[in-house]
């Protein structure tokens, strides 16, 4: 007796007919695993077996079974240690005609732990030194995943993290310009699926890399994507210090002493800095030095009068 069932259309509705292939999916995946377990050379046959089933699940709108088949295909390639087949299978499955969004999302989710650290989601996994083949396979998989997630709003968070991973790989290879350029492709400030903290961290990386490649105009533009009031929120201490530290690099290049004084004073006024005497002293000294070097004006005079009331001045 056939295990295939079908769900009827909703009366008067527009729901597509769904064929239930769950039993057959479990059986075929088991067969495919047995094939590969007997010999990795059977991988092609196992993938061919699941390819036919994948089409039936996709056309029959059995999305849960489709997801299982897609994930099984990737698992088989990984278990067989065939990086080339893994890359090709990932690309083929993700670009099938009328491929379901859930299936594409499942493919990306399945591959992520193979290329990035599961803790932060963007640090590339460490490859043993000298294993160039594994490093090349990791890098190629990161690039393919970026291609798959491009333009898909439901995978915008994954694309942002994969792009950050790619930037780390490029920078570690000495290509700072390439790292900065690839990170600029992502306008993370418009993403709704990413937390405020992660957005700030991403933009800070954009700032750091644009400064590293000495693109000061772009660095100024990127810095304006971060609202200063966001940095004053609870839990944003580290991000605030990093932001103003990066701004000091820009304002040193711009030779703007007053802005440098403001940067260092913002660092000085941070609670975590206030708790460490050596840090607040350094920040306060820099504030005073650059304030004294500033061109005289109302803003400079006002800031000097406010800082003059700070009792910590007597301790430096």
């Amino acid at each position: 007796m056939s295990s295939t069932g079908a769900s009827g259309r909703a009366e008067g509705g527009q729901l597509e007919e769904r064929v239930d292939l769950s039993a057959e999916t479990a059986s075929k995946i088991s067969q495919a695993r047995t094939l590969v377990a007997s010999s990795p050379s059977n991988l092609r046959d196992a993938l061919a077996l699941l390819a036919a089933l994948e089409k039936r699940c996709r056309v029959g709108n059995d999305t849960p079974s489709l997801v299982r088949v897609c994930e099984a295909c990737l698992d088989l390639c990984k278990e067989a240690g065939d990086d080339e087949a893994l890359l090709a299978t990932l690309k083929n499955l993700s670009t099938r005609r009328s491929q379901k969004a859930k299936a594409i999302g499942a493919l990306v989710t399945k591959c992520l732990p193979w290329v990035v650290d599961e803790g932060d989601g963007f640090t590339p996994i460490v490859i043993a030194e000298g294993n160039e083949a594994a490093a090349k396979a990791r890098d190629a998989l990161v690039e393919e995943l970026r291609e798959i997630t491009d333009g898909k709003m439901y995978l915008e968070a994954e694309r942002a993290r994969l792009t950050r991973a790619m930037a780390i790989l490029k920078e570690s290879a000495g290509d700072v310009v390439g790292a900065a350029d690839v990170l600029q492709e992502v306008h993370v400030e418009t993403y709704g699926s990413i937390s405020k903290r992660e957005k700030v961290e991403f933009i800070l990386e954009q700032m750091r890399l644009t400064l590293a490649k000495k693109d000061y105009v772009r660095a100024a533009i990127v810095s304006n994507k971060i609202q200063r009031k966001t940095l004053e929120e609870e839990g944003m201490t580290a991000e605030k210090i990093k932001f103003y530290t990066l701004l000091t690099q820009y304002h040193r290049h711009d030779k703007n002493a007053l802005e440098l004084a403001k940067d260092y004073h913002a660092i000085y006024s941070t609670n975590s800095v206030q708790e460490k005497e050596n840090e607040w002293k350094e920040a306060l000294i820099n504030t005073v030095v650059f304030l004294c070097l500033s061109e005289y004006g109302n803003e400079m005079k006002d800031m000097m009068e406010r800082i003059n009331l700070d009792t910590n001045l007597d301790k430096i």
Side-chain angles (χ1 to χ4, degrees):
M1 180 180 292
S2 172
S3 61
T4 302
S7 60
R9 293 176 182 273
E11 186 176 349
Q14 301 297 318
L15 295 178
E16 294 180 324
E17 186 175 5
R18 176 180 177 274
V19 179
D20 184 4
L21 295 166
S22 57
E24 183 177 353
T25 296
S27 176
K28 290 289 177 65
I29 290 177
S30 179
Q31 291 178 42
R33 290 190 183 281
T34 301
L35 276 172
V36 175
S38 63
S39 174
S41 62
N42 293 329
L43 177 61
R44 306 296 176 186
D45 294 333
L47 291 176
L49 177 67
L50 294 181
L53 179 59
E54 184 274 336
K55 182 177 181 181
R56 292 181 60 203
C57 291
R58 177 164 37 89
V59 174
N61 297 302
D62 186 355
T63 303
S65 294
L66 175 62
V67 168
R68 289 182 62 196
V69 172
C70 289
E71 290 179 335
C73 287
L74 296 181
D75 279 331
L76 290 174
C77 294
K78 189 68 175 176
E79 290 165 9
D82 194 330
D83 294 322
E84 185 178 339
L86 175 62
L87 204 62
T89 301
L90 174 62
K91 185 173 184 177
N92 289 337
L93 290 174
S94 64
T95 55
R96 296 287 194 196
R97 183 185 177 193
S98 302
Q99 185 60 282
K100 310 296 184 187
K102 284 188 177 180
I104 296 175
L107 287 169
V108 173
T109 302
K110 169 62 71 173
C111 290
L112 285 176
W114 300 337
V115 292
V116 294
D117 181 79
E118 293 186 76
D120 56 30
F122 61 80
T123 301
I125 59 171
V126 179
I127 302 295
E129 188 176 352
N131 194 345
E132 294 183 7
K136 185 177 180 180
R138 176 200 59 191
D139 298 354
L141 189 52
V142 169
E143 187 56 48
E144 184 59 39
L145 289 170
R146 287 186 68 246
E147 288 293 325
I148 293 171
T149 55
D150 188 21
K152 296 178 177 63
M153 290 186 65
Y154 58 93
L155 291 173
E156 61 183 14
E158 288 80 359
R159 176 166 174 76
R161 292 167 192 144
L162 286 163
T163 301
R164 191 166 176 184
M166 178 59 71
I168 292 173
L169 291 172
K170 285 182 176 293
E171 185 180 14
S172 63
D175 185 7
V176 175
V177 173
D181 290 343
V182 75
L183 212 59
Q184 292 303 317
E185 295 176 6
V186 179
H187 301 286
V188 73
E189 67 276 8
T190 65
Y191 288 7
S193 59
I194 295 180
S195 68
K196 186 183 295 184
R197 178 188 298 279
E198 190 171 358
K199 286 182 183 180
V200 170
E201 290 175 347
F202 194 97
I203 296 171
L204 287 173
E205 273 300 287
Q206 289 180 325
M207 280 182 66
R208 184 183 68 79
L209 287 171
T210 50
L211 286 168
K213 78 171 205 175
K214 303 187 185 306
D215 186 350
Y216 296 102
V217 174
R218 173 64 60 181
I221 294 172
V222 172
S223 70
N224 289 328
K225 295 180 180 180
I226 297 179
Q227 295 184 353
R228 306 307 192 262
K229 64 180 181 181
T230 300
L231 298 173
E232 300 300 330
E233 294 179 7
E234 186 176 354
M236 285 287 188
T237 299
E239 289 74 18
K240 176 184 176 181
I241 294 173
K242 184 174 181 179
F243 174 74
Y244 284 106
T245 300
L246 289 171
L247 273 188
T248 62
Q249 294 182 36
Y250 171 74
H251 290 134
R252 282 177 187 275
H253 169 77
D254 205 36
K255 295 182 173 59
N256 192 325
L258 182 58
E259 290 300 323
L260 277 165
K262 291 180 183 178
D263 296 338
Y264 282 112
H265 193 258
I267 295 172
Y268 165 74
S269 63
T270 305
N271 290 335
S272 63
V273 174
Q274 286 289 316
E275 295 170 359
K276 300 174 183 177
E277 185 175 352
N278 61 321
E279 292 187 10
W280 70 251
K281 279 187 175 181
E282 181 182 357
L284 184 56
I285 289 171
N286 282 322
T287 300
V288 173
V289 169
F290 285 108
L291 189 57
C292 292
L293 293 173
S294 302
E295 184 178 349
Y296 184 81
N298 290 334
E299 190 174 11
M300 179 266 198
K301 179 175 178 293
D302 178 65
M303 186 175 181
M304 186 170 285
E305 289 175 351
R306 284 187 289 109
I307 290 178
N308 192 44
L309 299 175
D310 193 331
T311 54
N312 280 335
L313 284 176
D314 297 332
K315 301 176 183 178
I316 61 175

